[in-house]
């Protein structure tokens, strides 16, 4: 078995100090009234120019928090240039979007609304539409105690709802809590995941989402012309093909993979990453073991979210 010491430098405090991955909490602090309004907005196409697209169009909370296609379609069937990441557990990401251009969920929610390829609605028009809607005007007033609705009000509500979209109680979480036992294949897959060094990027409570890394760090990958990588934000040459490391939570349910949706299956994604970012070629058996482990990372949408 190949071995890498990278994971040994990753330590945490508390009960799971010997593991580089921590279980998700059952819930996180949020404002129920704001989250309830945010859910309504999340599912409402009123925030798109032609009233055909809603947040849920690209982030299907009934399934995996994503939409299952390489690229998403916006208004007038315009195709985006980046794969829609799952919104599940996004509250645990240290930044938002593949290139980290939004510092939090509120900033992230602003982007798609006024993006001409996505929802295409000018921010001033977004607040005006809600202001003109008697029901929304009342709902916002009940929370803000103001008669006017601002753009910040809109995204704060949406972000509060997204905070509830966490998926605790995966089999692996229960294993960490000594409430479940992994099968032989699943445990071997986890040990391999650590020994190969995958865990040097995919660690912590979200098993990713806490660093930027270069796609093709060892075996370079050509940079696409139309890609929103970290370079677009920083304009530093070294940030070309650099992206936020995605969460691996629910990864078995969120195909296709990568920023461009170019990997159709977990097997393909693992093979690509092991080659380009670890510099090794995995055997079919090793890939099978890793897939077995990754399947244990699927959790259940929090009870709090389902009650809203």
């Amino acid at each position: 078995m190949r071995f890498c010491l990278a994971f040994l430098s990753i330590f945490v405090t508390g009960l799971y100090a010997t593991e580089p991955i921590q279980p998700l909490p059952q819930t996180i602090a949020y404002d129920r009234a704001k989250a309830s309004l945010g859910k309504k907005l999340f599912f409402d196409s009123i925030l798109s120019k032609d009233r055909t697209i809603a947040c849920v169009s690209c982030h299907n909370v009934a399934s995996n928090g994503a939409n299952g296609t390489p690229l998403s379609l916006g208004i007038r069937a315009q195709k985006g240039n980046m794969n829609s990441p799952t919104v599940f557990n996004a509250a645990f990401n240290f930044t938002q979007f593949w290139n980290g251009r939004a510092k939090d969920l509120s900033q992230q929610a602003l982007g798609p609304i006024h993006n001409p390829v996505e929802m295409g609605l000018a921010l001033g028009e977004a607040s005006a539409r809600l202001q003109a809607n008697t029901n929304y005007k009342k709902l916002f007033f009940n929370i803000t105690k103001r008669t006017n609705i601002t753009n910040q009000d809109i995204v704060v509500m949406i972000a509060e709802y997204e905070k509830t979209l966490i998926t605790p109680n995966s089999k692996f979480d229960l294993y960490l809590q000594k409430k479940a036992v992994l099968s032989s294949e699943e445990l071997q897959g986890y040990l391999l995941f650590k020994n190969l060094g995958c865990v040097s990027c995919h660690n912590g409570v979200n098993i990713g989402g806490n660093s930027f890394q270069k796609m093709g760090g060892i075996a370079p990958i050509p940079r696409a012309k139309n890609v929103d990588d970290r370079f677009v934000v920083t304009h530093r040459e070294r940030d070309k093909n650099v992206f936020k490391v995605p969460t691996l939570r629910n990864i078995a349910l969120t195909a296709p993979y990568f920023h461009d949706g170019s990997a159709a299956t977990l097997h393909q994604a693992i093979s690509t990453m092991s080659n380009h970012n670890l510099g090794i070629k995995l055997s079919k058996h090793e890939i099978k073991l890793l897939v077995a482990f990754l399947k244990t990372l699927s959790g259940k949408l929090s009870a709090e979210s389902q009650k809203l």
Side-chain angles (χ1 to χ4, degrees), residues 230-303:
R230 189 68 181 153
F231 173 79
V232 173
V233 178
T234 68
H235 304 293
R236 297 180 302 200
E237 192 70 19
R238 66 176 182 271
D239 284 336
K240 289 184 175 179
N241 265 354
V242 170
F243 303 94
K244 181 184 68 183
V245 175
T247 175
L248 292 187
R249 292 207 171 266
N250 307 297
I251 193 68
L253 308 175
T254 56
Y257 306 104
F258 303 150
H259 61 281
D260 56 0
S262 59
T265 66
L266 267 182
H267 288 74
Q268 184 181 350
I270 292 169
S271 179
T272 298
M273 289 305 294
S274 62
N275 176 28
H276 289 282
N277 278 57
L278 296 177
I280 58 178
K281 181 175 176 58
L282 296 175
S283 68
K284 290 183 179 180
H285 180 63
E286 287 174 316
I287 293 177
K288 180 182 178 182
L289 294 177
L290 288 169
V291 169
F293 160 62
L294 293 176
K295 286 183 177 180
T296 71
L297 303 179
S298 298
K300 299 177 181 179
L301 194 60
S302 72

Side-chain angles (χ1 to χ4, degrees), residues 123-262:
L123 290 181
E125 188 175 352
S127 55
R129 278 190 183 184
L130 296 178
Q131 187 85 30
N133 183 293
T134 303
N135 186 41
Y136 273 122
K137 189 173 182 178
K138 179 180 178 180
L139 291 172
F140 273 94
F141 177 79
N142 289 341
I143 295 172
T144 67
K145 306 306 179 185
R146 287 185 277 102
T147 56
N148 66 309
I149 298 172
T150 68
N151 297 327
Q152 187 63 20
D153 291 334
I154 297 171
V155 296
V156 162
M157 306 306 168
I158 294 174
E160 206 66 19
Y161 168 59
E162 291 178 340
K163 287 180 183 178
T164 73
L165 299 177
I166 63 175
T167 59
N169 300 321
S170 69
K171 184 176 182 180
F172 190 72
D173 282 350
L174 298 177
Y175 162 76
L176 290 174
Q177 297 166 334
K178 302 187 184 306
K179 297 178 181 178
V181 177
L182 298 184
S183 71
S184 176
E185 278 197 347
E186 292 165 349
L187 184 56
Q188 288 180 67
Y190 178 47
L191 294 175
L192 187 61
F193 183 82
K194 292 194 289 186
N195 292 344
L196 290 172
C198 308
V199 77
S200 63
C201 295
H202 293 284
N203 54 69
V205 70
N206 217 15
I207 322 177
N210 55 5
S211 68
F212 295 113
Q213 297 293 336
K214 191 177 189 68
M215 185 78 170
I218 294 180
I221 296 175
R223 180 177 183 264
K225 292 182 179 179
N226 185 29
V227 63
D228 289 334
D229 55 9
R230 189 68 181 153
F231 173 79
V232 173
V233 178
T234 68
H235 304 293
R236 297 180 302 200
E237 192 70 19
R238 66 176 182 271
D239 284 336
K240 289 184 175 179
N241 265 354
V242 170
F243 303 94
K244 181 184 68 183
V245 175
T247 175
L248 292 187
R249 292 207 171 266
N250 307 297
I251 193 68
L253 308 175
T254 56
Y257 306 104
F258 303 150
H259 61 281
D260 56 0
S262 59

Side-chain angles (χ1 to χ4, degrees), residues 22-30 35 42 61 63-65 86-93 96 105 158-170 173 205-206 247 249-250 297-308:
Q22 296 83 54
L24 284 172
Q26 295 296 312
T27 186
I28 59 177
Y30 74 99
F42 192 91
V61 297
S63 58
N64 59 12
T86 179
V87 73
F88 289 169
N89 306 305
F92 299 107
N93 291 334
Q96 304 298 327
L105 289 174
I158 294 174
E160 206 66 19
Y161 168 59
E162 291 178 340
K163 287 180 183 178
T164 73
L165 299 177
I166 63 175
T167 59
N169 300 321
S170 69
D173 282 350
V205 70
N206 217 15
T247 175
R249 292 207 171 266
N250 307 297
L297 303 179
S298 298
K300 299 177 181 179
L301 194 60
S302 72
E304 292 291 334
S305 178
Q306 297 181 57
K307 289 177 185 176
L308 289 174

